[in-house]
Every structure is written in C-alpha cells, then in structure tokens.
Amino acid sequence: EAGVTQFPSHSVIEKGQTVTLRCDPISGHDNLYWYRRVMGKEIKFLLHFVKESKQDESGMPNNRFLAERTGGTYSTLKVQPAELEDSGVYFCASSPFSAGGYTFGSGTRLTVV
Amino acid sequence: AQKITQTQPGMFVQEKEAVTLDCTYDTSESNYYLFWYKQPPSRQMILVIRQEAYKQQNATENRFSVNFQKAAKSFSLKISDSQLGDTAMYFCAFMKLLSGNTPLVFGKGTRLSVIA
C-alpha cells in the first residue's frame, strides 16, 4: 500500500507570506495527525482529525494556523501569515481506528526567512 | 501531562557493537504504549519497536530490544550488532491508551552515529 505522502518536501518563504502544506494519508485511515519539530526541540503535536472532524486541536500554536481535511481524505495545513518561529519540520501521520498503528510521512521542512 | 526525557543528545557506536539509548517518562496513566521511532537522513519517521504497558515481557524486534521498567518509568532501547544503516535520530514516544489512537508525546531525541 502507498504510505503517507507529504508535499512539498521543502518550502522556503518570506515572513508574512502564506504557505499550504498537504498530507495524503494511507487510504482508509480515519485518524490523521499533524506534528511539528522545531530544530533542537521535541516533536510537538498540533492536531488530530478523525475523518473530516477535528478531534483535538489543542496543539495549534495560534490562529495563523488553519488545518482542514476535505471529505476525510487528504489534509492541508495553512500558515498565514508565516513568522520566523514557524520554521521547522511538519510531520503528518495516519492510522486506522485502532491503537498504536501510526504511519508517518517524510515531513515538510518549512523555512521562513 | 506526560513528559518524555532523553538525556543523551548524541551517541557514537562502532559497527557491530551494541548501544543503549535511554528514555524515562512521567505519567499518571495506567494504560499506555511506549515507542521508539527512528528518523534517518531521509526524514521518514519509522517505527522501531512498541511496548504495551500492561505487558511485563520486554518487546524485541530482531536486533532491537527494550528494557521496560514500569515502576521506574524507564524505557531504554538496545541495538545489538549495530549497522551503518542504524545511523539516525531516535525518538522515544508515549501514547496513552483510550478507545482508539491518541496523540504521541515525544522526547527530544538522541542522534546515533554508527562508525565503520
């Protein structure tokens, strides 16, 4: 089966611009997660979708971040306007509705200059 | 809230030798999973091994094994017969067990370098 796909793999944008990251989960996986790793720090949870619904968005840093999951399939994470501290690697993971079965994508490295 | 601590920012090991990566965690939960993930230079996060907290037996996956000490809240990873391909960042992670998946909580990671 195809894995979790994220694109772009790398994005460099200027402060104040908008960027949209995309995640295509494994087909049939109800759970979709976004995580972020800022250099040298822990990987932090951002939010969790179950199908198209936001189950938990407690990790979203602020209202400059908007996540959507259209029809319970792919998900997008938009940052608008981007700030320097948003730089990091954004990971997406998906799992079926059973415990412990995460599959991660390769991440999007976002650099805000 | 759960907290995962990895005290070794970087480790070196000679090829074919064994190495142990440390992880401690802090939680009041009784039902949970613990994981070790590997992130090679390709950046893909790969599951190395998983331990259910209710199981006393330590999980093993080929050259990878854990030493799970529930009372001490310790979960170390041992890599035997290290190979060059084991070079990667290793993250310890915690997931509390509810009906279905919950978010993972990660440590800061340990960068392992295997030397020929």
Side-chain angles (χ1 to χ4, degrees):
Chain A
E1 64 180 1
V4 176
T5 306
Q6 290 187 247
F7 45 93
S9 61
H10 193 184
S11 179
V12 180
I13 61 170
E14 292 184 350
K15 176 182 171 182
Q17 289 186 321
T18 297
V19 64
T20 300
L21 314 180
R22 173 166 168 152
C23 170
D24 285 58
I26 292 174
S27 177
H29 280 194
D30 287 341
N31 293 279
L32 187 150
Y33 297 85
W34 284 97
Y35 292 85
R36 175 175 74 172
R37 183 174 186 232
V38 173
M39 185 59 68
K41 300 197 174 180
E42 296 94 338
I43 300 170
K44 292 283 195 184
F45 165 75
L46 296 179
L47 88 158
H48 172 203
F49 284 99
V50 177
K51 296 184 180 178
E52 68 275 9
S53 300
K54 291 177 186 174
Q55 181 80 9
D56 180 355
E57 52 184 330
S58 61
M60 293 288 263
N62 51 60
N63 59 9
R64 295 185 294 102
F65 289 74
L66 175 64
E68 294 179 327
R69 189 177 183 192
T70 306
T73 56
Y74 70 91
S75 175
T76 57
L77 179 64
K78 179 160 63 172
V79 185
Q80 178 183 30
E83 298 289 344
L84 299 178
E85 64 264 24
D86 300 333
S87 295
V89 180
Y90 290 76
F91 290 100
C92 174
S94 73
S95 69
F97 200 67
S98 61
Y102 281 77
T103 302
F104 279 84
S106 295
T108 294
R109 181 178 295 280
L110 175 64
T111 304
V112 183
V113 298
Chain B
Q2 288 72 36
K3 182 176 170 61
I4 309 297
T5 302
Q6 294 180 250
T7 57
Q8 305 153 312
M11 297 279 284
F12 289 89
V13 64
Q14 202 78 31
E15 197 178 6
K16 296 184 174 50
E17 297 293 312
V19 64
T20 297
L21 308 184
D22 296 330
C23 173
T24 58
Y25 60 97
D26 187 18
T27 185
S28 57
E29 301 289 334
S30 56
N31 295 319
Y32 53 88
Y33 286 174
L34 293 163
F35 305 85
W36 279 96
Y37 279 90
K38 165 185 175 179
Q39 187 187 29
S42 66
R43 220 167 55 205
Q44 176 90 42
M45 291 280 282
I46 301 166
L47 176 64
V48 175
I49 201 163
R50 179 178 87 179
Q51 175 80 44
E52 292 90 336
Y54 64 85
K55 289 186 178 178
Q56 292 187 335
Q57 187 173 8
N58 289 325
T60 62
E61 285 289 342
N62 301 312
R63 298 183 294 108
F64 298 88
S65 61
V66 297
N67 183 4
F68 174 47
Q69 302 290 326
K70 191 172 184 179
K73 294 181 180 171
S74 169
F75 183 63
S76 62
L77 174 70
K78 181 179 178 181
I79 305 174
S80 303
D81 185 26
S82 297
Q83 299 176 3
L84 296 178
D86 295 334
T87 293
M89 281 290 291
Y90 286 81
F91 294 96
C92 180
F94 172 101
M95 183 179 81
K96 66 181 178 182
L97 189 58
L98 297 175
S99 55
N101 280 288
T102 60
L104 290 166
V105 179
F106 287 91
K108 286 188 177 182
T110 296
R111 183 175 298 279
L112 177 68
S113 299
V114 181
I115 304 166

